[in-house]
Amino acid sequence: MTRQSVNTATWPDSRQLQHILIDIAEAEVLSRYRHPDVTRKSDGTLVTDADLAVQSRLIEQLAASWPEIPLMGEEMTAEQQQALAAHDCYWCVDPLDGTTNYSAGLPYFALSLALVVEGRAVLGIVYDPVRHECFRAELGRGAWLNDEPLRLHRGPGTLKECIAIVDLKRLTPELAVRLSNRPPYRSQRCFGAIALEWCWLAAGRAHLNLHGGQKLWDYAAGRLIFSEAGGVFNQEATEQERLGLAVRPALGAVDEHLFRLWQSWLQQAGFPLAEAG
């Protein structure tokens, strides 16, 4: 599949989707902030009443305007997700990216929505209700932050000058220790909300990222925004490979030069890599 095979004329209006996401965030997320009902799922991860309310509202409101497009949400069963991933067109939703932050009162979380067509994310919206920042992108058309064009400038010339967003806990112990003791970059952060981290990279608030394993709803919207802003990331094995439910390692950089430096360093450190995209 190539980009030209996706019919852009039939996409929903990303600005309309942006307003839907903002309205739901104000009603269901901020209204529960600092006093959510929190439970644990069978895998030990947290889920709040805000996660469930957002997913329910999105299912209802998106179906009202686009009844032909099914929705895959993080808070669905694995069987439901697998069935939906086989569709040629579906919504992919993380109703609350950064649930642990949200449940603890840490102000770093977002709502994430992507439209996946023929195995590729073609629209992406990530809304941070605390900062009232809405990031969105359309495949081949660009990225925006609060409707202002989002375009990355060239980053520092060397890794040593970079700020990196790195999730150490999902890396091998050997690599985590090496990054902690002998980091190739100037400074490291981990904020705990993957989709929003991709967007902060797209806004130039860091220069590199690394994550040991992201799920589809973690990266579908945020990574598209980063890419359309001019960022470079590790691509799937081939252009023909559809986005799917497999957990994927992720790395990126704000420009091609830094990506190659980062990729080379990680390759020498034994991190599994794919081609740049």
Side-chain angles (χ1 to χ4, degrees), residues 167 170-172 175 194 198 209-216 218-219 223 232-237 241 243-252 259 262 266 270-275:
D167 188 325
R170 291 178 175 85
L171 304 177
T172 63
L175 180 55
I194 295 170
W198 280 112
N209 78 329
L210 178 67
H211 196 283
Q214 299 185 356
K215 296 180 179 178
L216 178 58
D218 292 326
Y219 68 81
R223 197 181 68 177
V232 184
F233 64 89
N234 60 312
Q235 182 60 282
E236 281 68 40
E241 185 175 351
L243 294 181
L245 295 173
V247 177
R248 297 183 181 278
L251 65 142
F259 182 87
W262 188 215
L266 289 167
F271 188 77
L273 301 175
E275 293 303 313

Side-chain angles (χ1 to χ4, degrees), residues 159 175 178-180 182-185 210 259-271 273:
L159 295 181
L175 180 55
R178 183 171 177 181
L179 286 168
S180 298
R182 302 191 305 279
Y185 37 70
L210 178 67
F259 182 87
R260 295 301 176 192
L261 293 177
W262 188 215
Q263 182 185 50
S264 176
W265 190 95
L266 289 167
Q267 195 165 27
Q268 293 174 21
F271 188 77
L273 301 175

Side-chain angles (χ1 to χ4, degrees), residues 185-200:
Y185 37 70
R186 176 162 59 88
S187 187
Q188 175 260 332
R189 303 288 187 270
C190 181
F191 299 112
I194 295 170
L196 194 52
E197 290 173 352
W198 280 112
C199 293
W200 278 32

Side-chain angles (χ1 to χ4, degrees), residues 22-265:
I22 291 171
D23 289 345
I24 291 175
E26 298 292 328
E28 307 295 352
V29 176
L30 290 184
S31 65
R32 293 175 168 87
Y33 186 39
R34 301 191 188 282
H35 53 83
D37 291 332
V38 185
T39 58
R40 287 189 181 273
K41 295 186 281 189
S42 59
D43 63 1
T45 58
L46 301 181
V47 62
T48 72
D49 52 342
D51 292 84
L52 301 175
V54 170
Q55 183 165 286
S56 177
R57 284 280 301 275
L58 278 171
I59 290 172
E60 176 185 347
Q61 291 191 226
L62 294 176
S65 297
W66 302 279
E68 72 282 5
I69 306 178
L71 182 144
M72 177 203 295
E74 181 184 8
E75 306 310 330
M76 291 179 170
T77 67
E79 291 76 16
Q80 290 172 318
Q81 292 165 350
Q82 193 65 52
L84 288 162
H87 285 244
D88 282 334
C89 182
Y90 61 89
W91 304 109
C92 182
V93 173
D94 188 340
L96 187 54
D97 174 46
T99 297
T100 298
N101 287 349
Y102 180 79
S103 64
L106 294 172
Y108 195 89
F109 49 83
L111 290 71
S112 176
L113 172 68
L115 179 65
V116 179
V117 177
E118 297 176 11
R120 171 166 290 184
V122 299
L123 296 178
I125 302 170
V126 176
Y127 180 56
D128 174 353
V130 173
R131 296 165 188 82
H132 303 290
E133 290 189 329
C134 193
F135 301 84
R136 66 183 173 92
E138 301 176 4
L139 180 64
R141 296 177 177 175
W144 300 267
L145 168 54
N146 291 345
D147 294 328
E148 293 295 323
L150 196 59
R151 192 67 190 172
L152 282 165
H153 300 292
R154 186 173 178 83
T158 68
L159 295 181
K160 278 294 184 184
E161 301 173 76
C162 290
I163 297 173
I165 299 175
V166 180
D167 188 325
L168 293 171
K169 72 178 182 180
R170 291 178 175 85
L171 304 177
T172 63
E174 296 78 13
L175 180 55
V177 168
R178 183 171 177 181
L179 286 168
S180 298
N181 294 341
R182 302 191 305 279
Y185 37 70
R186 176 162 59 88
S187 187
Q188 175 260 332
R189 303 288 187 270
C190 181
F191 299 112
I194 295 170
L196 194 52
E197 290 173 352
W198 280 112
C199 293
W200 278 32
L201 282 164
R205 297 170 187 173
H207 309 107
L208 312 170
N209 78 329
L210 178 67
H211 196 283
Q214 299 185 356
K215 296 180 179 178
L216 178 58
W217 42 84
D218 292 326
Y219 68 81
R223 197 181 68 177
L224 175 65
I225 293 164
F226 175 65
S227 177
E228 287 295 320
V232 184
F233 64 89
N234 60 312
Q235 182 60 282
E236 281 68 40
T238 69
E239 281 293 310
Q240 288 72 40
E241 185 175 351
R242 297 168 64 101
L243 294 181
L245 295 173
V247 177
R248 297 183 181 278
L251 65 142
V254 297
D255 63 45
E256 184 73 27
H257 172 68
L258 281 176
F259 182 87
R260 295 301 176 192
L261 293 177
W262 188 215
Q263 182 185 50
S264 176
W265 190 95

